[in-house]
Coordinates of all heavy atoms in Angstrom, one line a residue:
V677 N 16.3 -9.6 -15.7 CA 15.2 -9.8 -14.7 C 15.3 -11.3 -14.3 O 15.4 -12.2 -15.1 CB 13.8 -9.6 -15.3 CG1 12.7 -10.0 -14.3 CG2 13.7 -8.1 -15.7
Q678 N 15.3 -11.6 -13.0 CA 15.6 -12.9 -12.5 C 14.4 -13.7 -12.2 O 14.5 -14.9 -12.0 CB 16.5 -12.8 -11.2 CG 17.9 -12.2 -11.6 CD 18.9 -12.4 -10.6 OE1 18.9 -13.5 -9.9 NE2 19.9 -11.5 -10.5
A679 N 13.2 -13.1 -12.1 CA 12.0 -13.9 -11.9 C 10.8 -13.0 -12.4 O 10.9 -11.8 -12.2 CB 11.8 -14.3 -10.5
I680 N 9.8 -13.6 -12.9 CA 8.6 -12.9 -13.5 C 7.4 -13.6 -12.9 O 7.2 -14.8 -13.0 CB 8.6 -12.8 -15.0 CG1 9.9 -12.2 -15.5 CG2 7.4 -12.1 -15.5 CD1 10.1 -12.4 -17.0
F681 N 6.5 -12.8 -12.4 CA 5.3 -13.3 -11.8 C 4.1 -12.6 -12.4 O 3.9 -11.4 -12.3 CB 5.2 -13.1 -10.3 CG 6.5 -13.6 -9.6 CD1 7.4 -12.7 -9.0 CD2 6.7 -15.0 -9.5 CE1 8.5 -13.2 -8.4 CE2 7.8 -15.5 -8.8 CZ 8.7 -14.6 -8.3
G682 N 3.3 -13.4 -13.2 CA 2.2 -12.8 -13.9 C 0.9 -12.8 -13.0 O 1.0 -13.2 -11.9
P683 N -0.2 -12.3 -13.6 CA -1.4 -12.3 -12.8 C -1.8 -13.7 -12.4 O -1.6 -14.6 -13.2 CB -2.5 -11.7 -13.8 CG -1.6 -10.9 -14.8 CD -0.3 -11.6 -14.9
G684 N -2.4 -13.8 -11.2 CA -2.8 -15.1 -10.7 C -1.7 -15.9 -10.0 O -2.0 -17.0 -9.5
T685 N -0.5 -15.3 -9.9 CA 0.6 -16.0 -9.2 C 0.2 -16.2 -7.7 O -0.2 -15.2 -7.1 CB 1.9 -15.3 -9.3 OG1 2.3 -15.2 -10.7 CG2 3.0 -15.9 -8.5
N686 N 0.4 -17.4 -7.2 CA 0.2 -17.6 -5.8 C 1.4 -16.9 -5.1 O 2.6 -17.2 -5.4 CB 0.2 -19.1 -5.5 CG -0.1 -19.4 -4.0 OD1 0.4 -18.9 -3.1 ND2 -1.1 -20.3 -3.8
L687 N 1.1 -16.1 -4.1 CA 2.2 -15.3 -3.5 C 3.1 -16.2 -2.7 O 4.3 -15.8 -2.4 CB 1.6 -14.2 -2.6 CG 1.0 -13.0 -3.5 CD1 0.3 -12.0 -2.6 CD2 2.1 -12.4 -4.3
A688 N 2.7 -17.3 -2.2 CA 3.6 -18.3 -1.5 C 4.6 -18.8 -2.6 O 5.8 -19.0 -2.2 CB 2.8 -19.4 -0.9
D689 N 4.1 -19.1 -3.8 CA 5.0 -19.5 -4.8 C 6.1 -18.4 -5.2 O 7.2 -18.7 -5.4 CB 4.3 -19.9 -6.1 CG 3.4 -21.2 -5.9 OD1 3.7 -21.9 -5.0 OD2 2.5 -21.4 -6.7
A690 N 5.6 -17.2 -5.3 CA 6.5 -16.1 -5.5 C 7.5 -16.0 -4.4 O 8.7 -15.7 -4.7 CB 5.7 -14.8 -5.6
A691 N 7.1 -16.2 -3.2 CA 8.0 -16.1 -2.0 C 9.1 -17.2 -2.1 O 10.3 -16.9 -1.9 CB 7.3 -16.2 -0.7
D692 N 8.7 -18.4 -2.5 CA 9.7 -19.5 -2.7 C 10.7 -19.1 -3.7 O 11.9 -19.3 -3.5 CB 8.9 -20.7 -3.2 CG 8.3 -21.5 -2.1 OD1 8.6 -21.2 -0.9 OD2 7.5 -22.4 -2.4
E693 N 10.3 -18.5 -4.8 CA 11.3 -18.1 -5.9 C 12.2 -17.0 -5.4 O 13.4 -17.0 -5.6 CB 10.5 -17.7 -7.1 CG 11.4 -17.3 -8.3 CD 12.2 -18.5 -8.8 OE1 11.9 -19.7 -8.5 OE2 13.1 -18.3 -9.6

Side-chain angles (χ1 to χ4, degrees):
V677 175
Q678 298 199 28
I680 303 171
F681 306 110
T685 298
N686 187 311
L687 288 175
D689 292 340
D692 277 348
E693 182 66 14

